Amino acid sequence: MAPYRNQRAAALPARLSRSWLLTSAADTSLFAPALASEADSVVLDIEDAVPEEDKDRARAELVRAMQDGVSAWVRVNDITTPHWEKDLAALSEVRNLRGIVLAKTEHPDHITKTAMMSRAGTPVVALIESAVGLMNAYDIARAPGVFRLAFGVGDFRKDTGASADPMALAFARSTLVTASRVGELPGPVDGPSNGVLGEELASACQVTQSMGMTGKLCLDPDQTDGINRALAPSEQEIHWAREMIERANSGHGGADGSYLPRLARARKVSELAETYGLWNS
């Protein structure tokens, strides 16, 4: 099987990934459309997406597909299950593994043990899905091996009784954002907004972006392009950044105390826009 991967997404550093597409490992026919989608990162899921009695088969087929050229992240089962060790043992010999997403991360040693069980240098995304995990987010963000934090909204709401209202989840989101900054990690990945497209998806992404999160999980390949657009610099931001940088380069910069922070922001916007292929569009 030849490697099939959206080349734009394949070349994008995972620290800048906006859309993280979860795809069930129970059905390998789903892999090709997921990998050909606009998803910045594809996550093959052998946790929630695979029934208990089917995990061994799904794991074996996932490993075979990756050995044959599939390149993706994998969400493994949480550390309290017998499947966690089996998952990591199987993946340690796999080519093309981009990294691991660890379900139900609650303590920093969950990350450390996962990293130690994996091939050296394998990045681990900590999926925070409970009140305990959230309260330990600062320690998790500084754990050896952690690459990025992500928010498991569904299980977090189940654990805490919180509604889907952005206000009810604001503390959780802001905690992950602040913890990521303290741990010197990329911005965290927000949870999915299932069953919405168009303006509804854009509105959900606005919440994500306004909280300081820079990525978003999804289960539907059709959401990936909308997420990418919503979490990239807007045309207005790019226009402002271009003008700001042009003035600075021509020696007509400002003199007030906000000038240097604004210039730094403009340069960051330009770098992101260029990485996402938007700067010269």
Side-chain angles (χ1 to χ4, degrees):
M1 182 190 303
Y4 38 82
R5 186 70 179 102
N6 177 325
Q7 293 306 305
R8 176 206 61 77
L12 186 71
R15 62 185 175 82
L16 297 178
S17 288
R18 299 154 295 179
S19 53
W20 291 72
L21 176 62
L22 285 162
T23 302
S24 174
D27 184 357
T28 56
S29 71
L30 299 175
F31 294 1
L35 290 163
S37 76
E38 285 302 309
D40 285 344
S41 287
V42 173
V43 184
L44 305 180
D45 186 8
I46 49 178
E47 195 233 358
D48 277 353
V50 179
E52 182 74 20
E53 66 276 8
D54 209 21
K55 289 189 185 290
D56 289 342
R57 179 198 63 81
R59 183 189 306 110
E61 292 191 3
L62 165 69
V63 167
R64 187 158 47 248
M66 297 188 79
Q67 295 288 33
D68 286 343
V70 169
S71 177
W73 291 70
V74 175
R75 176 161 77 164
V76 300
N77 291 276
D78 76 83
I79 199 170
T80 66
T81 71
H83 302 292
W84 170 80
E85 191 168 352
K86 292 180 182 179
D87 293 345
L88 295 180
L91 292 172
S92 66
E93 302 301 323
V94 163
R95 295 176 297 173
N96 303 315
L97 177 66
R98 291 186 162 242
I100 287 168
V101 177
L102 179 61
K104 299 176 175 65
T105 305
E106 292 195 327
H107 301 282
D109 69 316
H110 290 182
I111 293 293
T112 304
K113 289 176 180 177
T114 298
M116 289 176 64
M117 284 276 290
S118 305
R119 183 181 299 159
T122 301
V124 182
V125 171
L127 191 56
I128 308 296
E129 306 185 70
S130 67
V132 171
L134 186 69
M135 290 299 93
N136 289 328
Y138 289 90
D139 292 330
I140 292 169
R142 289 178 288 198
V146 71
F147 175 73
R148 204 165 170 180
L149 304 183
F151 188 22
V153 173
D155 280 334
F156 181 82
R157 288 182 55 206
K158 189 188 305 181
D159 184 48
T160 61
S163 75
D165 188 288
M167 184 62 72
L169 299 172
F171 173 74
R173 287 188 169 109
S174 63
T175 296
L176 296 183
V177 168
T178 309
S180 296
R181 185 70 188 94
V182 169
E184 299 183 339
L185 304 178
V189 180
D190 199 3
S193 297
N194 298 327
V196 299
L197 292 168
E199 291 185 6
E200 286 184 273
L201 180 60
S203 179
C205 290
Q206 177 58 38
V207 172
T208 298
Q209 192 172 53
S210 69
M211 294 300 300
M213 307 180 95
T214 57
K216 191 169 179 64
L217 296 168
C218 62
L219 282 67
D220 183 353
D222 289 340
Q223 290 185 325
T224 56
D225 186 54
I227 291 171
N228 289 346
R229 290 177 182 276
L231 298 186
S234 67
E235 290 182 13
Q236 183 177 3
E237 287 178 305
I238 293 171
H239 179 73
W240 167 81
R242 186 177 285 116
E243 287 192 342
M244 184 85 185
I245 292 170
E246 286 174 354
R247 285 198 303 270
N249 290 341
S250 65
H252 294 90
D256 62 86
S258 69
Y259 172 69
L260 289 180
R262 285 187 290 118
L263 181 58
R265 169 63 184 163
R267 286 175 174 156
K268 182 176 181 181
V269 168
S270 74
E271 290 169 6
L272 284 173
E274 189 166 358
T275 300
Y276 297 142
L278 303 172
W279 186 248
N280 296 313
S281 62

